[in-house]
Structure formats: C-alpha cells, structure tokens
Amino acid sequence: MPNRHTAVLSAAALTAALAAVVTPGAASAACHPDARDLLLTYQPVDHTVADAQYHLARLTIGNHDRRCALGGGGWAMYFNAVRRPAAVLDGAAGDIARKQLADQGLAVARADAAQSGDFYTLRPLDGFKPIEPGERRTIDINVELWAIHKSDAPAGWTIAFGGGSPQWVPAKTLLDPSDPKQTTAFSGDNRPVETAATRYAENTSPKMDLTLRQSIVPQPLSATATGGTVGIGGGSRISAPRSLRGEEGYLRSALGDVARGRGAPISLRVDPELDVDHDGKADAEGYTLSATRQGVRIVGADRAGVLYGIQTLRQLVPTGGHEAAARGRHPSTVDVPQAEIADAPLFGYRGLQIDAGRHFVTGRTIKKFLDLMSFTKLNRLHLGLTNDEGWRLQIPGLPELTGYGSKREFDLRETDALHQGMGSANDLGRGDGISGKASDETEANLGRTPAYQGFEQGTLNFVGKGGGFYGVREFEEILRYAAERHIEVVPELNFPAHARAAVQSMEHRYETTHDDTYRLLDPADTSEHVSVQYYDDNLVNPCLDSTYAFLGKVVSEVAKMYDRAGVPLNRINLGGDEPPGPPEGWWSGSPACRDDPETAGKSGEELKEMFFTRWNAIAHEVAAKTAGWEDITDPTRPFRLEGFTPLPWQNVWGWGREDWAYRFANEGTPVILAHATNLYMDLAYNKDPDEPGYYWAAYVDEKSTFTYQPFNVYANATEDRWGNPVAPNPSWTKLTAEGRKNILGLEAQLWGENGKTPEIREYQAFPKLLGAAERAWNRDTPAPGEMDAAWNVFANTLGQKTFPLLSFYEPVGLRGQGVNYRVPPPGAKISGGTLSANVRNPGMAIEYSTDGRHWRPYGGPVEVGAYALTRTRSADGRTSRISPAGVPAWRDGASYERGALVSHRGELFRAARPGRGQEPGVTRGHWTLLQ
C-alpha cells in the first residue's frame, strides 16, 4: 500500500485538503509536510515597480499539513517559468531581486546542470522562518517583464526534501482583472481589459437572415438555392469512375455517419477543363455541385476539387441531422437544399502549421485536425516535428532522438532525458521522476472538471504532453490519412537553432557510444549566445561534417516513410527561425570553424548562409521544394536559396519587418504568408487574463484572421499589441501586380507552448482557423471599407450555422463527435437594476443567473437587481466562461447572506452560508468557487 506521501487523493479530498483550516502549533522539526498538503499560489500584483523591466509578484505558500512545518532547510522547490525570476538576471535588477528574496530567507537559481532554458529552483537560506501547520506565507518576488495573463504564471511545481525525489506541489495562479496594477503591463500599455461591459460595446453584429452562399465556410464563388430539398443518406447510390474510388469511399463514410438509409443518387466525376469562373482557363481544385430532385452531381477539375465539393455537401446537411446522429438517433436520410454551387480557390497553398515539439500532439489529434482542414478546404499541414523541447519522429538508426530527445523528465543532469520544460514532463503519467502527481485532469485542476473554455489551473499542475513521438508506422499512417484528404504534409526539421532536442540527443549518443558520426556541436566551442527561450546550448555547428551527415541521415529516413506510405515528399521545411543572440556570437569561439580553411574567418552570417546552402541541397536530394522561416533569407542581403520559399512571419508593427513578404514577392521570390499579427492562432484571443496564450505580437481572434488582407497587409496596421494606434509607414514596400503572382498562399500557425491538451488546441484554432480558411480560399476578399459588413455576415454564419455544425462534427474515419471551439462569453451591462446582454455571434443562446446556481434563458432586458452572471450556451450544451456584470468585490468585515456573490482576487464566489470576515478561497465551507 502506498504511504501517506504518495497516496493519490480523490478530487474531493484534495479540494478539502487545500481549503482546510488548521490550528497553528509547534511542529516536529523531524518531519516534512506532505507535498499535497501544500498549495502554492502565484499572483502578479504591481507592474509599476520598474516600468517594462520587471514586476512585483506574490507567491503564497499555504501549509495545510496538520503535523509538520515547512522547515528552514533541507528542501527545494522546482518550477518552470516563461518569465525569468529577476534574481537570475545580471545587473541592478538582479541585485535588487536577490536581496528581496534573501531578506525573506530564500533564494532562486537555475535548477538544472546545463543552466539552460526555463527551469528554476526556490530554496531556503539560513534563517528562513519555518511555515507552520495552518500558516499561509506570502513571499514577494520580482519577475522580469510582465504577467498580465494567467498563462504567464510559473508551472510544474515540485518539492524535494533532503535531496530526495521531487513530489508534486498543487499550484494555482490568480489575476484580478479589476486591478490596473495587475493588468497594465507597463506605462505604454493602453489596451483595456476584456470585461462584460467591453464585450457588450463590441458585440454590434445584428442578427440577419443568411443566404445559402453565406451559410458555407469558406464562401463559394456562387451558390443559389433553387427551392426544395433532396434526401441523401449513407445508402445513396454513388456513381464514380475508378479514379475517384477514394473520394467515393470518403463520401460514403461521411454520409453514413449522419444517415444510414437509401436516398437520392449521387454522381462524382472529374472534368480537367472545368472553368468555374468562366475566364477561359481551367480552375485547379474547383468544383460544381448541383442538387436537384433527381439527386446530387459533383464535378471537380481534379480529384481534390471533387473532395471539396463533397465537403460543401457535408455543410449542407442540416445541423439537426448531425445532432441526431451524434445522439445515436441516425435518421434514414437527411434533406439538403436543392442548389447550384460553383467554387474555386484563391490560393493554391492553404496551410496550417501545428507545433508538436513544444508539446506533443497525438496521431489521433493530428488526424482530427486533418479532417477539419479538409472540411474547410485547407491543403497543407506544416508539421513541426522538432524543437528545443522535443524531437517527435522516430528515425531508424538514431534511437537516441526518440529514446532521449522525445522525453522530458525531472532529470537535473539530463542523463536519460531532457529536463522538465514549460511546466510539463510525462503529462500525468509516471516514469518522469516526479511522484504524487494528480491522478486525472480534474484533480490536477484542483478538484474542478476542466471545461477548457479558457485558462485551467491543471495546466500548471503537469497537464501537458511533454513526452511523445510518432513511430515510423504511425507517421506513415498519418501521411496516408492526409493524402486521402488531398493534404500535403510538409515536415519541418528545424535547424540550426531551436535544435536543443537534437543537439543533446546526439551528445547523449556520443557519450554512450563514443561515436561522433552524427555529433552536432563542437565541444571546445566557447561561443556565448542565448535564445529567446533562454537556451544557450541549442545551436548546431555548421563547421562539422557530422552535422551534415546527421541531416542527410534524417531526411533519407523521412523520404523512405513517404515512399512506403505511397505519398510524394514534395517539400521540406528547413526551419531556420530565431538564431540566438547577435550574429557576431554565432560559432565565434568554435575551433572547428576557426581551424577549417573553408570556414576560417567567416562571420556568423556567412557561416549561417553556408549552413543553409548545404542544408537546402541535402533536402533537395529527396524533395523538389524547400521552405523555411523568413530568418533564413533576409531581403536586405543578396543571399538566396534555390527552390526555396520563405514564410514571412515577424511583421509586428514597428519591429522593422513589416514589408519583408512584399519585398520578397516583388523581387520574384515566391512566399507563403504567415504573418504573426493575424495568423498566429496560439496567441490569446484578447486581453482577458483567463484567455490562454501569449501576446508578444498581437491579440489574435477570428476577426483578426477573417479581416486579414493578403495583398494589403498594411490595412491591418491599425493598432499595436498594447492598444496604441499605428499607421502604415509610407516607406513600406507596396505589393506590385507582378509581386502578387508570387504570393503562393497563406498559413495559419498553431504553436504549442500553451497547447497542452487537444481541447486547448481546438479552442485556440476554432474559430480562428475558419477566418484563415476564408481568406485562403474565398476569391472575394472584401476591401478594407467593406470589411465591417462582411464581418457582420461572418459572425452570423458562425453563430447560426458553423458552430452548431462543429458541435456535432464527426471526423471521417475517427470515432467521437464535436470540436471544442471557443464559446464566446457574452457582453452584459446593468442599468437601474435591468440586465442587458448580447453575444458576439448572433444565433447563440445567452443565459443569466443572480445566484450562480439557477440559470435562465435570456430573451431580452430583464430585472435582476444590482448584479448578475451571464454565459453563452452552445448547441451541444457547453457553456462559455461566466461573464459577471456588477458583482461587487469581497470586503473584509462585511456581512454576507447565503447565496451572495462576490469577486475576490479575480475569482467568483457564492456564499455557502451566512458569515462575516471569512475570506473566499481561504476559509473552508463558507464560499463556493464559481469561476
């Protein structure tokens, strides 16, 4: 039987333990508190202490153990932090922070032997006053920059006693949206916090009747309802030539998911001369769909066009049909409108990038995204297989890449795996050196079942796939699944930077085999450089023959996987982003570079260009095309690569790269647009502390993706990430008519730092990906002056049509229904005791409550009194986060009746019993947490 220190508590027991009130008393110096009886709370409290340099935060350590104090020595806490504790900084800021902690008997330092990355330790110094049983100790700590979202909080807390194995310490973060000192990053931050009131003012789209064309995402070139309906089902006779056997099978499976009976016949065929827009030229990937009483006829310019016609047909199925099937009541047939539809894409390249390096994405989740991509007519999956934090593809002959580099563990010397990073190791599983973790996501979420409709505390408590990889057979299966949907998988192998997992895996190989065939670093290199993520050992060396032997080995094995899958490897993404530090530091201290006549005397930039010339040639041995981030080929330098397409991404207004995409295109270099200001879906939706994600480039929501102007991106330059107005610089290069021909397409980006669960990935992507799909496919890009009207239509389409459909969506060939799209919290205001509420997407239901227990449908202004809670309900019954209006802050000493609602430190509570002076979130039994 497990002892008390490793026993798994139930969610209810954990909740009680965290809230328990224990009478302080003398504790035995010989014992240690149970790690689960500790609770660590992080809260930023003042961003004005050092403008834009660091902020003041508070760590509260609650000791709920009934017997043992957290003593003055012999323990160490470990954690990850995206923001560095200021105590590890050089200079005055570091000196101030170190003294601040020392005065409290504590010190913070980097945790791991490599001193690289985001891993830290908190330790007591001599004179630290023990935290007695029942005591809550508040610790002031300076942390660099700002923390205005809960995603900025430290994560993955453990404690080790006497040098023993680390145990999970439950943790949470708080952030009060009503306190400007907590939510204003620095003096130049003028963006208001998202509230019920700001949403009410922003939700201006009127409800409207939608045409057939407006009901489909992305909108087709033309769509006319001709009156009446036609019934179809899984038993409908499908006629198709042998060349369309795959599309026929896909359609039969998709229809069988919603209706099992025999309906009207369906015809599929290809017409290579199909001219959808009547301009005298065939339209690749175009299709026509004709639905009449006699049946449905889909004609594609190619096989892909036929599949896109099928995807439009799937959208024509009424939501009720999808819902009935999802609830196990499959109708015999479903009625689709009789209609004539013609369609063809704007861009040939319509992409989505999924980062599997920072957090692993299972094969099943990748397949679900692939089916959703096809459903929205996207055709390129850019799959990030490597990064600093993980290598995710099995490479025969190099077992260390996955046996070592795909794993994150509590391993300070990184003997067997990479160290814990980004608050995660082996998810909630065992085998990563951390004991006592939560048994499930509810327990990790401190006793509340996560809804993943915003930030969840569980993501601080080891929820997140730090480990994992695709085996050879699984990857080949993914390739075939994608090919069935006419999606090309572009593998990204990111070098020379962001390569820590590869570099350290090959060091592990060398240390265990003494074989330097594939070694990626020069052990005598004294160069100093630090990446944006604070790694100083993630850069491969371009002066070693073993570097290129490694790259050749990897791409040859990847090519074999494509070949066995029967799928062409058309393009490899070389990576190339964010080389750490200034070029002067790249390999400047490497004897391998200095002593080789071919590299001696070369600058960092010259060595980088030499590396990419060779890396590009190696990739071209197995793929006709290559791509990579804009960092590889600066338009201000003459260096270019043959057969290479850059992805311009860092267009943040005022940073100096706003026009790189158009400079490339105008000179004749083909580009794929990946602009962070509008296409980075992992960035937070808005400035609500409960929105997960970063905000380094901008806040990005579905309006950002929908209103994106591919051929006039400067029209999107209206404000910066801090809410300050900006205007296009007249000197920015304008896209020419010839340059426009070199815009191959666009790609939405789903980076993985905060994408710790499939539900979070879906929340981040939907509905943002729908806006990106609209701009990638729809040839009718509204002019800037027309965009507001177009947005009103799109907001209605999502609320009335697309969201209900996604609620019951079933990926073809996979079990399970539904997409965890973001349910938008409603806007609300109270005037004279009357509640008024609205929703971003007309057609969605709003509910309200005055006690947090009983919810009523909102049909119009209603008398509620001084305050109320509101929320949005989706077609499948899921709800948004609660959006409070007028709820007062808790006041110490005030008397509260049972059922009273208060906000405290950014959380909502309902009084469970009458009382006075009982602090919400601290005292047991008096308050119930609502949000």
Side-chain angles (χ1 to χ4, degrees):
M1 177 179 292
N3 64 33
R4 180 172 179 268
H5 292 271
T6 58
V8 175
L9 297 181
S10 68
L14 175 60
T15 303
L18 298 180
V21 176
V22 183
T23 303
S28 169
C31 70
H32 300 300
D34 191 312
R36 285 172 171 264
D37 286 337
L38 302 174
L39 175 64
L40 193 142
T41 304
Y42 174 86
Q43 186 164 19
V45 294
D46 193 349
H47 284 89
T48 69
V49 293
D51 200 33
Q53 186 178 12
Y54 58 84
H55 67 276
L56 173 64
R58 295 232 167 93
L59 293 175
T60 301
I61 301 176
N63 181 9
H64 301 288
D65 191 289
R66 294 179 179 273
R67 301 182 303 112
C68 302
L70 183 61
W75 59 267
M77 285 189 179
Y78 299 90
F79 62 96
N80 297 111
V82 65
R83 304 280 189 242
R84 288 178 296 183
V88 305
L89 302 178
D90 295 327
D95 292 339
I96 293 169
R98 286 184 283 274
K99 183 179 186 304
Q100 172 197 52
L101 287 171
D103 288 346
Q104 301 169 90
L106 293 163
V108 167
R110 292 189 177 276
D112 58 314
Q115 302 282 286
S116 181
D118 68 343
F119 200 21
Y120 303 95
T121 181
L122 173 72
R123 297 174 183 269
L125 300 174
D126 291 342
F128 175 79
K129 182 181 178 182
I131 303 175
E132 300 292 339
E135 182 185 353
R136 297 172 68 248
R137 175 77 54 80
T138 297
I139 299 161
D140 286 353
I141 180 170
N142 290 344
V143 181
E144 71 169 347
L145 298 175
W146 41 74
I148 59 174
H149 282 252
K150 292 180 179 178
S151 296
D152 296 328
W157 288 86
T158 62
I159 191 168
F161 295 105
S165 63
Q167 305 166 56
W168 169 51
V169 174
K172 66 186 298 185
T173 183
L174 299 174
L175 209 161
D176 188 346
S178 67
D179 183 354
K181 287 189 174 183
Q182 295 186 38
T183 60
T184 305
F186 68 110
S187 59
D189 180 6
N190 293 305
R191 185 176 293 279
V193 177
E194 186 89 0
T195 65
T198 62
R199 285 190 288 270
Y200 187 84
E202 294 167 357
N203 293 342
T204 58
S205 298
K207 187 173 183 180
M208 57 181 63
D209 295 329
L210 298 171
T211 66
L212 178 65
R213 179 170 181 252
Q214 293 169 340
S215 301
I216 300 168
V217 175
Q219 279 192 18
L221 277 175
S222 64
T224 304
T226 56
T229 60
V230 57
I232 55 175
S236 288
R237 180 173 58 83
I238 301 174
S239 61
R242 182 179 296 271
S243 62
L244 293 177
R245 181 170 294 176
E247 290 71 27
E248 176 187 352
Y250 186 93
L251 173 59
R252 193 175 300 282
S253 179
L255 289 179
D257 286 340
V258 293
R260 304 286 171 78
R262 185 178 181 88
I266 302 173
S267 166
L268 307 177
R269 74 179 185 89
V270 170
D271 176 6
E273 304 301 319
L274 184 65
D275 180 9
V276 172
D277 58 6
H278 307 295
D279 66 351
K281 295 181 290 186
D283 293 302
E285 300 181 285
Y287 68 91
T288 60
L289 186 156
S290 176
T292 67
R293 284 186 297 174
Q294 286 71 42
V296 177
R297 183 171 184 264
I298 296 173
V299 179
D302 43 34
R303 290 178 55 209
V306 172
L307 182 64
Y308 296 138
I310 291 170
Q311 300 295 14
T312 295
L313 182 62
R314 290 177 75 193
Q315 288 201 42
L316 297 181
V317 173
T319 300
H322 291 283
E323 180 177 2
R327 301 191 188 285
R329 303 188 301 270
H330 291 79
S332 176
T333 61
V334 288
D335 292 333
V336 299
Q338 296 183 35
E340 298 293 332
I341 300 174
D343 204 4
L346 171 64
F347 290 124
Y349 189 109
R350 306 178 299 281
L352 167 66
Q353 183 266 155
I354 297 180
D355 165 23
R358 269 60 179 270
H359 283 96
F360 182 61
V361 185
T362 66
R364 188 190 186 286
T365 297
I366 291 292
K367 288 181 178 179
K368 184 175 182 180
F369 267 97
L370 284 165
D371 201 66
L372 286 161
M373 287 174 64
S374 177
F375 187 69
T376 52
K377 303 180 175 67
L378 301 176
N379 65 356
R380 298 290 194 282
L381 174 63
H382 169 183
L383 187 55
L385 295 167
T386 72
N387 224 292
D388 292 319
E389 296 83 7
W391 181 282
R392 305 305 185 189
L393 180 61
Q394 180 184 12
I395 301 296
L398 295 176
E400 297 84 3
L401 286 172
T402 47
Y404 179 93
S406 76
K407 300 187 298 182
R408 297 210 288 264
E409 299 179 358
F410 185 91
D411 186 344
L412 300 183
R413 296 190 177 277
E414 298 183 290
T415 304
D416 299 310
L418 301 176
H419 62 64
Q420 167 188 322
M422 296 185 171
S424 61
N426 188 33
D427 207 350
L428 297 180
R430 299 181 180 180
D432 58 10
I434 301 164
S435 64
K437 286 187 293 187
S439 60
D440 57 32
E441 292 185 9
T442 295
E443 190 178 11
N445 209 41
L446 308 183
R448 301 178 67 243
T449 302
Y452 294 116
Q453 281 296 312
F455 177 84
E456 298 286 7
Q457 302 289 355
T459 58
L460 304 183
N461 293 306
F462 290 104
V463 170
K465 295 187 180 300
F469 66 92
Y470 308 112
V472 168
R473 290 186 179 179
E474 182 179 23
F475 187 67
E476 292 169 3
E477 185 179 327
I478 289 171
L479 295 177
R480 285 188 287 268
Y481 188 91
E484 290 169 357
R485 287 147 183 80
H486 296 282
I487 295 173
E488 176 184 327
V489 178
V490 180
E492 180 182 342
L493 306 168
N494 198 352
F495 296 98
H498 282 306
R500 188 173 193 269
V503 169
Q504 300 307 320
S505 293
M506 291 302 95
E507 278 304 286
H508 179 70
R509 181 181 190 274
Y510 173 75
E511 290 165 3
T512 54
T513 67
H514 305 292
D515 179 0
D516 64 359
T517 303
Y518 299 115
R519 203 174 189 186
L520 297 175
L521 59 76
D522 175 0
D525 190 354
T526 59
S527 307
E528 294 185 0
H529 37 66
V530 180
S531 74
V532 175
Q533 291 80 18
Y534 311 122
Y535 294 107
D536 58 11
D537 53 1
N538 70 339
L539 195 60
V540 306
N541 192 296
C543 305
L544 302 174
D545 289 338
S546 53
T547 290
Y548 304 103
F550 172 84
L551 295 173
K553 169 66 172 176
V554 169
V555 298
S556 67
E557 295 295 339
V558 171
K560 291 175 186 176
M561 297 179 209
Y562 277 77
D563 186 58
R564 285 192 298 268
V567 174
L569 174 55
N570 294 321
R571 190 187 301 265
I572 291 177
N573 188 294
L574 309 178
D577 63 316
E578 295 186 324
E584 295 78 21
W586 300 338
W587 312 291
S588 59
S590 168
C593 295
R594 184 181 60 243
D595 298 342
D596 187 334
E598 293 187 14
T599 58
K602 289 186 182 293
S603 68
E605 280 285 0
E606 290 170 330
L607 290 173
K608 185 193 84 168
E609 292 173 0
M610 181 198 75
F611 169 82
F612 280 114
T613 299
R614 294 188 65 176
W615 178 203
N616 191 56
I618 290 169
H620 274 300
E621 291 177 4
V622 298
K625 302 174 183 176
T626 56
W629 302 108
E630 66 181 14
D631 314 55
I632 294 175
T633 55
D634 183 335
T636 66
R637 294 174 61 86
F639 175 68
R640 297 292 181 271
L641 291 171
E642 182 179 352
F644 173 81
T645 300
L647 279 74
W649 61 281
Q650 199 173 169
N651 71 312
V652 182
W653 314 122
W655 283 17
R657 294 189 181 186
E658 299 89 345
D659 64 353
W660 276 27
Y662 296 165
R663 294 177 70 171
F664 282 129
N666 287 352
E667 74 176 23
T669 299
V671 298
I672 298 163
L673 303 176
H675 285 135
T677 56
N678 291 76
L679 298 175
Y680 270 42
M681 300 186 301
D682 62 293
L683 297 179
Y685 276 89
N686 54 53
K687 191 180 176 181
D688 179 337
D690 279 301
E691 285 294 348
Y694 299 149
Y695 42 94
W696 61 267
Y699 288 98
V700 175
D701 61 12
E702 72 276 20
K703 191 171 185 179
S704 305
T705 55
F706 178 83
T707 59
Y708 179 63
Q709 297 277 333
F711 304 120
N712 182 19
V713 68
Y714 312 138
N716 297 115
T718 58
E719 63 179 18
D720 65 16
R721 61 173 168 160
W722 304 117
N724 301 301
V726 298
N729 189 324
S731 68
W732 290 343
T733 299
K734 307 297 190 297
L735 183 66
T736 64
E738 283 301 307
R740 179 170 171 148
K741 298 175 184 177
N742 293 314
I743 305 294
L744 301 185
L746 62 83
E747 184 176 282
Q749 310 296 319
L750 190 59
W751 294 100
E753 292 94 329
N754 291 291
K756 295 184 175 182
T757 70
E759 294 88 351
I760 295 173
R761 297 272 186 161
E762 292 179 13
Y763 178 93
Q764 292 177 322
F766 291 93
K768 297 180 194 182
L769 188 59
L770 302 172
E774 193 73 34
R775 293 287 71 83
W777 178 274
N778 189 345
R779 294 187 180 184
D780 183 18
T781 303
E786 302 169 342
M787 194 58 85
D788 284 346
W791 163 253
N792 286 339
V793 172
F794 188 65
N796 273 268
T797 303
L798 297 183
Q800 296 184 46
K801 301 289 185 178
T802 315
F803 284 163
L805 192 159
L806 291 177
S807 287
F808 307 106
Y809 182 86
E810 182 167 359
V812 174
L814 294 179
R815 298 182 64 180
Q817 293 93 12
V819 176
N820 187 50
Y821 58 87
R822 178 179 182 265
V823 182
K829 67 175 184 178
I830 293 177
S831 178
T834 298
L835 169 71
S836 298
N838 58 18
V839 68
R840 183 178 180 90
N841 302 107
M844 303 193 78
I846 302 173
E847 298 177 338
Y848 74 97
S849 173
T850 56
D851 62 5
R853 297 183 65 186
H854 305 95
W855 291 86
R856 303 175 181 86
Y858 174 84
V862 59
E863 292 289 330
V864 294
Y867 57 75
L869 307 177
T870 62
R871 66 187 186 188
T872 306
R873 180 174 291 276
S874 65
D876 58 358
R878 291 180 303 118
T879 59
S880 70
R881 298 192 303 277
I882 293 174
S883 180
V887 175
W890 174 78
R891 291 185 297 115
D892 190 9
S895 179
Y896 292 97
E897 297 297 321
R898 180 178 181 181
L901 301 180
V902 297
S903 65
H904 184 53
R905 301 177 73 188
E907 296 184 303
L908 286 172
F909 295 89
R910 180 182 66 248
R913 63 179 69 167
R916 178 191 302 271
Q918 305 294 334
E919 183 178 358
V922 176
T923 52
R924 180 185 178 188
H926 285 267
W927 297 94
T928 300
L929 178 66
L930 298 179
Q931 178 173 297

